[in-house]
């Protein structure tokens, strides 16, 4: 329930509070954020870290005239509360409810749609440039954490943004954590007894004015520094030290300081979990990686700040010299993998699909061009939950299949996933280029029906039928089964189902053999239609002059809102009824 002090809270009312009422408001906001996310789940750790600094920003500056940009959006809960959205928190993690991050649809105070790190400084510099050109007396403010500032875009923005005297403020919230603990040079710069000296030297050497606040949870001290900054518009960094999960005791013991959690007991921590529970492709894949690490001392594992999405905690803990997190730096992850591979090491690079696209150039220019046998294990392909429309992995096949020397596998089930990972590692010397292994996000319900691909043709028949064929990938198998049942019930037709494992290279010869005596073909995919699996089948039919009727079922050329698989499927017309109507129109 929303506390009375938070109901109808506005930026205008916030600015009028005296010191005592302000502190009471901060306490109410913290309690509300904890109690609310304990019921809905949410990104609580980083939001508790940025609470006081965000409130201070809104008291000193004039949003939305001054533009406040949150990097990723993990830190925007307080921003949402002070801009009058406390009553929306009960709809967090629900379809079309309050966004986990920041989306323009919610408020005039939300400047950008954001869920990927590193975007705030470059975009803020562009906004600040327009303020100068149009003689506007406003600031552009990038709110960024020490985990996000290591992104390549952040460094590029830091480098260029001092080129002119822009009204740009970088609010650097430093709690020594990204999702997982921070790593690398920025961590060295911001820790130790002389961290203020080192940080000041770094930012001032780039050309920024530099302010620092050691207690990032003292709102009055932060507010005083922001007022000074506002008096003299120029590229400025305000560096505030905070505590991730501040005010939530159980966060201190949590492996990610309650970065994200499912609904939890705020006293005991019961229920706290950073990802989906149950049997998952990520969990099963991690088990096989752990076995391979034990067997092969030449194997290395790299992840860019998301060990949880590939269940790598135990792997990193047991083999810290060969399994490591390089921080929120996808290009570094692939670049380092390339270096290891050039020296004869076997490498598995573990990503979330939505973040792997940020390393497209390194996969294309470095790994594939040099035919290096790097394994890219990509989680969360297809619909990926409530994070953001950009978190769905529905474009990975399209942008990957254009890369020469690159293989794309979509394992049939978790047994096949383990076998595929093992085959790629054991036989890496025979691989003439990198391999991407895609797998889904949702937990596995019930027993898996293992579909063995004995002939390694890239196709596996899941069920028989003589009236046509449904082709699909493993993450859309349930959709294919439901469609087969409905066609049988309504049209008295029996379709077979084939799972495709080898997306690239695609076995055109075997495909032609399979479809030779079947005129009616259907392709179902949890992927965008332009360039996806259906496109591959359509191209093959055209190139080989196969006389078949193919209906392609997938996602139109658009973004899909965050949601669970059923909600996303309905929005994309990938539910059984919509598919059936399209086929028999």
């Amino acid at each position: 329930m929303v506390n009375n002090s938070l109901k109808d809270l506005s930026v205008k009312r916030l600015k009028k509070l005296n010191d005592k009422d302000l502190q009471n408001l901060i306490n109410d906001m913290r309690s509300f954020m904890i109690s609310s996310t304990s019921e809905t789940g949410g990104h609580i750790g980083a939001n508790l870290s940025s609470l006081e600094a965000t409130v201070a920003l809104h008291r000193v500056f004039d949003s939305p005239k001054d533009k406040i940009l949150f990097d990723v959006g993990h830190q925007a809960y307080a921003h949402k509360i002070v801009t009058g959205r406390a009553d929306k928190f009960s709809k967090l993690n629900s379809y079309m409810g309050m966004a986990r991050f920041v989306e323009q649809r919610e408020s005039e105070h939300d400047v950008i749609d954001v869920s990927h790190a590193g975007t705030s400084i470059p975009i803020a510099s562009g906004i600040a440039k327009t303020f100068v050109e149009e003689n506007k007396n406003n600031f552009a403010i990038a709110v960024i954490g020490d985990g996000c500032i290591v992104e390549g875009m952040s460094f590029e923005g830091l480098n260029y943004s001092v080129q002119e005297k822009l009204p740009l403020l970088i609010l650097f919230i430093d709690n020594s954590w990204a999702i997982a603990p921070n790593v690398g040079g920025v961590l060295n710069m911001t820790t130790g007894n002389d961290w203020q000296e080192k940080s000041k030297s770094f930012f001032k050497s780039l050309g920024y004015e530099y302010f620092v606040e050691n207690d990032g949870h003292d709102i009055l001290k932060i507010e005083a520094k922001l007022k000074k900054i506002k008096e003299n518009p120029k590229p400025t960094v305000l560096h505030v030290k905070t505590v991730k999960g501040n005010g939530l005791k159980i966060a201190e013991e949590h492996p990610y300081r309650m970065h994200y959690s499912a609904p939890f007991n705020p006293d005991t921590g019961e229920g706290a979990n950073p990802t989906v529970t149950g049997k998952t492709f990520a969990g099963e894949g991690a088990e096989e990686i752990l076995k391979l690490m034990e067997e092969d001392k030449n194997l290395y594992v790299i992840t860019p700040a998301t060990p949880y999405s590939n269940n790598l905690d135990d792997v990193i803990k047991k083999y810290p010299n060969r399994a490591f997190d390089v921080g929120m730096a996808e290009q570094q992850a692939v670049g380092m993998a390339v270096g290891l591979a050039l020296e004869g090491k076997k490498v598995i690079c573990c990503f979330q699909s939505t973040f792997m696209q940020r390393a497209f150039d390194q996969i294309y220019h470095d790994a594939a061009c040099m035919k290096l046998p790097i394994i890219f294990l990509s989680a969360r392909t297809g619909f990926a939950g409530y994070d953001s429309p950009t978190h769905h992995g529905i474009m990975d096949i399209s942008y990957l299949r254009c890369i020469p020397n690159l293989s794309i596998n979509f394992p049939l089930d978790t047994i096949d996933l383990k076998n595929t990972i093992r085959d790629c590692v054991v036989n890496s010397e025979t691989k003439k280029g990198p391999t991407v292994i895609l797998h889904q996000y949702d937990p596995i319900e019930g027993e898996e029906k293992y579909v063995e691909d004995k002939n390694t043709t890239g196709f596996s028949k899941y069920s028989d039928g003589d009236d046509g064929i449904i082709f699909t990938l493993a993450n859309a198998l349930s959709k294919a089964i439901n469609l087969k049942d409905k066609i049988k019930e309504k049209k008295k037709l029996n379709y077979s189902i084939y799972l495709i494992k080898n997306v690239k290279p695609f076995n055109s010869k075997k495909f032609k053999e399979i479809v030779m005596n079947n005129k009616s073909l259907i392709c179902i995919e949890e992927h965008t239609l332009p360039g996806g699996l259906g496109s591959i089948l359509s191209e093959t039919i055209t190139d080989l002059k196969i006389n078949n009727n193919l209906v392609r079922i997938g996602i139109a050329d658009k973004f899909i809102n965050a949601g669970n698989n059923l909600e996303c499927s309905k929005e994309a017309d990938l539910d059984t009824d919509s598919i059936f109507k399209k086929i028999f129109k």
Side-chain angles (χ1 to χ4, degrees), residues 413-432:
D413 49 29
T414 59
I415 297 172
D416 190 35
L417 173 68
K418 290 181 175 182
N419 291 341
T420 302
I421 295 171
R422 178 167 288 274
D423 174 69
C424 287
V425 171
V426 172
N427 299 307
S428 65
E429 293 180 3
T430 67
K431 305 292 182 183
K432 302 299 181 183

Side-chain angles (χ1 to χ4, degrees), residues 292-354:
L292 287 163
M293 294 289 284
E294 293 168 358
E295 298 167 15
D296 192 340
K297 294 182 180 179
N298 208 36
L299 177 62
Y300 288 72
V301 176
I302 301 173
T303 186
T306 54
Y308 70 96
S309 63
N310 288 92
N311 287 58
L312 294 176
D313 288 334
D314 290 342
V315 179
I316 292 172
K317 185 176 180 180
K318 189 168 184 179
Y319 299 102
N321 292 327
R322 290 191 288 125
F324 37 82
D325 176 0
V326 297
M328 206 171 290
E330 294 82 8
Q331 295 169 315
Q332 165 66 19
V334 180
M336 189 171 186
V338 167
L340 287 164
L342 285 171
E343 292 300 307
K345 304 302 181 184
K346 301 174 183 179
V347 191
I348 302 176
C349 220
C350 295
F351 281 94
Q352 289 187 45
S353 174
T354 185

Side-chain angles (χ1 to χ4, degrees), residues 124-254:
S125 68
I127 292 173
K129 172 72 171 175
T130 67
F131 289 162
V132 171
E133 296 298 316
E134 297 173 8
N135 294 314
K136 290 183 178 179
N137 187 28
N138 298 116
F139 263 80
I141 303 159
V143 183
I144 188 167
D146 46 339
C148 302
I149 209 165
V150 304
E151 277 282 357
M153 280 184 71
S154 295
F155 271 102
E156 291 176 23
L158 280 170
N159 177 65
Y160 184 79
S161 296
V162 291
Q163 191 77 10
E164 301 178 55
K165 189 179 178 182
L166 299 177
L168 172 68
L169 168 61
I170 299 170
L171 178 57
F172 180 31
I173 297 179
D174 174 12
N175 59 35
S176 298
W177 288 71
I179 296 171
N182 275 342
V183 297
V186 169
L187 179 63
N188 290 335
M189 181 182 80
T190 58
T191 54
N193 293 332
D194 57 346
W195 69 266
Q196 292 190 32
E197 237 178 85
K198 291 184 293 186
S199 298
K200 180 179 181 180
S201 176
F202 172 73
F203 287 112
K204 286 191 74 68
S205 68
L206 287 175
Y208 289 90
E209 285 293 303
Y210 179 80
F211 292 78
V212 64
E213 178 47 58
N214 186 48
D215 184 356
H217 298 291
D218 188 323
I219 187 169
L220 297 180
K221 290 181 180 178
I222 297 171
E223 197 172 312
K225 288 183 170 63
L226 288 173
K227 287 177 179 177
K228 288 182 181 179
I229 292 168
K230 189 176 182 180
E231 291 172 358
N232 188 14
K234 63 174 66 174
T236 303
V237 172
L238 172 55
H239 185 174
V240 296
K241 273 285 186 180
T242 65
V243 176
K244 188 172 183 180
N246 181 57
L248 179 58
K249 186 171 175 55
I250 59 171
E252 297 173 9
E253 305 298 326
H254 190 271

Side-chain angles (χ1 to χ4, degrees), residues 464-468 494-496 517-518:
D464 289 312
D466 300 322
D467 297 310
N494 188 19
Y495 277 60
S496 60
N517 298 316
N518 291 271

Side-chain angles (χ1 to χ4, degrees), residues 458-471:
F459 297 85
S460 287
K461 183 184 280 190
Y462 182 86
S463 64
D464 289 312
D466 300 322
D467 297 310
I469 303 174
I470 302 171
F471 290 100

